[in-house]
Amino acid sequence: MSETAAATILVVEDEEAIAEGLRFNLERKGYRVDLAADGQQALNRVASHRFDLILLDVRLPKVDGFEVCQRLRRDNNFTPILILTARNQADDIVHGLQVGADDYVVKPFDLAELLARIEGLLRRQGWKRDPESNGNEEEAPELGRVPFGEYWVDFRSWQAKTRDGVQELSRKEMAVMKIFVTRPNQVITRRELLAEVWELPNHPNTRVVDNVIVALRKAFEENSWRPHHIHSVRGVGYRFVF
Ligand code: CA
């Protein structure tokens, strides 16, 4: 937890009162905080500093949050980005995730929820990117047999109980399932899956992802069109439900 507590967060928010409120609350939680008041400032800050997370309002003067996201990802900067969107702007959420945001919180946000999302993203980041700190990072969260509905996946034996009985899953299928079961009920974008499972962060072709999803649905869904566990989020990716 100590490395999480020392994380540096860039808060990009043009409304000063909100920005200062965020700074106050984040610093109280032990984070280091830097502020940017518009998208251009944010890009400048990111070009010269390393942040552990970017809290990014999408409605910003000069360069908006979507473009900030897009430009960072295009430059192979994969700092976790949590976007702040306005209520009643579902399009903003979808668009934000499409251009590379990792998660979102709707304004006016609940502080406890925002802090939980930040912690969640930082934890994922630590698990993914800290191979030196803890030996083998891929095995960090020790997963055994994980049940869902009538099925289970066993991450030690690479076996799964499927509609056709116990079978071995492929390496990619296991990796996708691991992401699903460790991040249930969250939108997982195809881009994230490409980056994390295939290590192809900027690959334009998501067909490899779709093929694995087809295989997993065949294994775990009676009716692929009305899935119980592996749901599609149109145009964005998937959401796993236990
Ligand atoms: Ca704004």
Side-chain angles (χ1 to χ4, degrees):
M1 234 31 212
S2 59
E3 93 210 24
T4 305
T8 305
I9 299 176
L10 177 64
V11 174
V12 190
E13 168 63 75
D14 57 314
E15 286 168 74
E16 211 186 323
I18 297 179
E20 288 300 338
L22 284 168
R23 187 215 285 271
F24 174 80
N25 283 296
L26 291 171
E27 284 181 349
R28 228 170 43 139
K29 282 280 166 190
Y31 297 113
R32 289 161 52 189
V33 178
D34 201 349
L35 299 183
D38 63 56
Q40 190 54 54
Q41 260 186 35
L43 290 167
N44 295 346
R45 299 297 291 150
V46 172
S48 55
H49 290 77
R50 201 197 138 271
F51 295 99
D52 297 295
L53 185 140
I54 302 169
L55 192 53
L56 181 65
D57 186 27
V58 292
R59 304 287 168 177
L60 291 168
K62 296 185 185 160
V63 179
D64 72 20
F66 301 117
E67 201 176 332
V68 171
C69 249
Q70 210 159 20
R71 286 205 210 168
L72 291 178
R73 297 316 190 219
R74 203 176 50 206
D75 295 343
N76 287 320
N77 182 319
F78 293 101
T79 306
I81 297 177
L82 180 62
I83 53 170
L84 299 172
T85 68
R87 197 175 291 288
N88 306 323
Q89 300 284 345
D91 288 353
D92 280 5
I93 296 169
V94 173
H95 189 198
L97 295 172
Q98 274 172 336
V99 295
D102 298 281
D103 203 354
Y104 64 90
V105 169
V106 174
K107 278 176 161 183
F109 48 79
D110 173 61
L111 185 64
E113 189 200 341
L114 179 72
L115 292 170
R117 299 284 182 136
I118 288 172
E119 261 176 45
L121 274 179
L122 289 171
R123 210 179 309 123
R124 267 153 63 188
Q125 182 72 357
W127 163 29
K128 232 166 52 191
R129 302 237 176 117
D130 259 348
E132 312 88 26
S133 69
N134 253 336
N136 191 344
E137 94 268 34
E138 276 210 73
E139 307 307 330
E142 184 59 52
L143 289 173
R145 183 174 293 190
V146 179
F148 54 99
E150 298 166 40
Y151 310 107
W152 48 256
V153 174
D154 192 314
F155 292 92
R156 281 172 305 222
S157 66
W158 288 23
Q159 288 181 314
K161 184 185 176 209
T162 72
R163 294 175 55 225
D164 295 322
V166 175
Q167 294 190 335
E168 208 157 278
L169 296 191
S170 76
R171 193 181 187 86
K172 297 298 185 204
E173 287 161 3
M174 289 305 293
V176 170
M177 285 307 293
K178 191 170 193 170
I179 289 173
F180 281 166
V181 302
T182 51
R183 286 150 64 182
N185 309 317
Q186 294 180 27
V187 177
I188 316 279
T189 66
R190 285 190 183 81
R191 174 188 282 269
E192 278 178 278
L193 290 172
L194 272 176
E196 293 181 28
V197 176
W198 283 267
E199 292 175 2
L200 294 169
N202 278 330
H203 204 272
N205 191 340
T206 56
R207 193 166 303 156
V208 285
V209 178
D210 299 331
N211 289 344
V212 164
I213 297 295
V214 167
L216 290 175
R217 283 196 174 134
K218 209 169 147 219
F220 302 121
E221 302 287 1
E222 239 156 75
N223 182 347
S224 290
W225 301 103
R226 300 180 65 182
H228 283 106
H229 304 291
I230 303 168
H231 297 260
S232 291
V233 180
R234 203 149 72 97
V236 181
Y238 305 95
R239 184 192 294 111
F240 180 81
V241 176
F242 272 94

